[in-house]
Amino acid sequence: MTWLTNTTLSDDFVSLVPLDMSHHDDLVAAATDGELWTLWYTTVPKPEHVAEEIERRLQCLRGGSMLPFTIIDQKSGKAVGMTTYMNVDSLNKRLEIGSTWYRKSVQRTGMNTRCKMLLLSHAFETLDCIAVEFRTHILNAQSRKAIERLGAKMDGILRNHSRAENGTLRDTCVFSIIESEWPTVKAHLSHQIAR
């Protein structure tokens, strides 16, 4: 995986650091805050499965399909969630930002906007991406609104895209930001962060 390499992205409030098993205990506490694993339309590991999820993401890193990050709250110094660059297409310089979750107590605090600013800035300005995708379950209204607030546009819906753990079929909403839209999206995110 030569195009993507482990890196740390940060501002005054949040750091995205390479995912590591040393983050396990904080991530267990983060998943427990709000019992996030009970949300059937998204995938957050149960506390007893956090180590497996860390290892799964690290395996994807080794295989070149994912660059996983731990989200660190600069104020507390604690891990508060996970995010990734995934579905990496290094030939065409496209990737998806996904498999993201935050502990309940930091949701709706602006942390997601800051994380996305860091990830998108790195994707477009350092990695020279031509497009960055976001995907979510059609019924995950909170996630869809958050993606739309970033300035991403819906590309379409992949019907019966995958099967969830509970056996239901997932329709996946696909959004993207393309390279030519980045300056406007960046100005929009900067304005949101300043507020």
Side-chain angles (χ1 to χ4, degrees):
M1 186 164 91
T2 56
W3 182 47
L4 294 183
T5 56
N6 270 334
T7 188
T8 296
L9 308 172
S10 62
D11 68 14
D12 292 340
F13 296 90
V14 64
S15 286
L16 303 174
V17 302
L19 178 66
D20 186 87
M21 199 58 80
S22 66
H23 305 133
H24 174 268
D25 293 350
D26 282 355
L27 291 170
V28 167
T32 303
D33 180 8
E35 297 183 351
L36 300 176
W37 67 90
T38 62
L39 300 172
W40 71 271
Y41 51 77
T42 191
T43 306
V44 177
K46 292 180 179 179
E48 62 269 23
H49 297 300
V50 168
E52 290 171 35
E53 179 59 12
I54 293 170
E55 185 48 44
R56 183 191 75 79
R57 292 183 189 214
L58 293 177
Q59 185 66 33
C60 290
L61 168 66
R62 291 187 285 275
S65 64
M66 181 182 279
L67 182 61
F69 295 92
T70 302
I71 303 163
I72 306 288
D73 179 348
Q74 295 275 50
K75 186 176 177 183
S76 69
K78 301 281 189 184
V80 295
M82 297 178 175
T83 192
T84 70
Y85 285 145
M86 56 191 282
N87 294 323
V88 175
D89 180 350
S90 55
L91 178 65
N92 292 299
K93 293 199 170 184
R94 292 181 65 98
L95 51 77
E96 176 187 346
I97 296 173
S99 292
T100 303
W101 60 269
Y102 301 89
R103 70 181 302 142
K104 188 167 181 65
S105 60
V106 301
Q107 292 176 17
R108 301 174 191 255
T109 64
M111 185 167 288
N112 182 54
T113 304
R114 289 177 174 281
C115 287
K116 294 306 189 287
M117 175 66 112
L118 291 168
L119 290 164
L120 287 164
S121 295
H122 187 70
F124 286 114
E125 298 170 13
T126 302
L127 300 174
D128 296 320
C129 283
I130 62 169
V132 175
E133 288 184 12
F134 302 88
R135 296 180 178 205
T136 192
H137 194 297
I138 196 168
L139 296 178
N140 190 342
Q142 182 178 340
S143 179
R144 286 176 66 178
K145 286 177 188 168
I147 293 167
E148 289 170 351
R149 271 194 312 271
L150 295 172
K153 294 185 175 123
M154 185 184 278
D155 295 325
I157 299 170
L158 301 175
R159 300 190 57 203
N160 281 0
H161 180 234
S162 60
R163 192 173 299 279
E165 217 174 269
N166 67 1
T168 60
L169 292 170
R170 170 180 155 146
D171 288 350
T172 298
C173 295
V174 181
F175 296 82
S176 68
I177 298 168
I178 59 174
E179 182 181 26
S180 60
E181 296 167 341
W182 171 236
T184 302
V185 170
K186 183 177 183 179
H188 171 66
L189 294 176
S190 296
H191 177 72
Q192 286 184 327
I193 289 168
R195 291 174 50 207

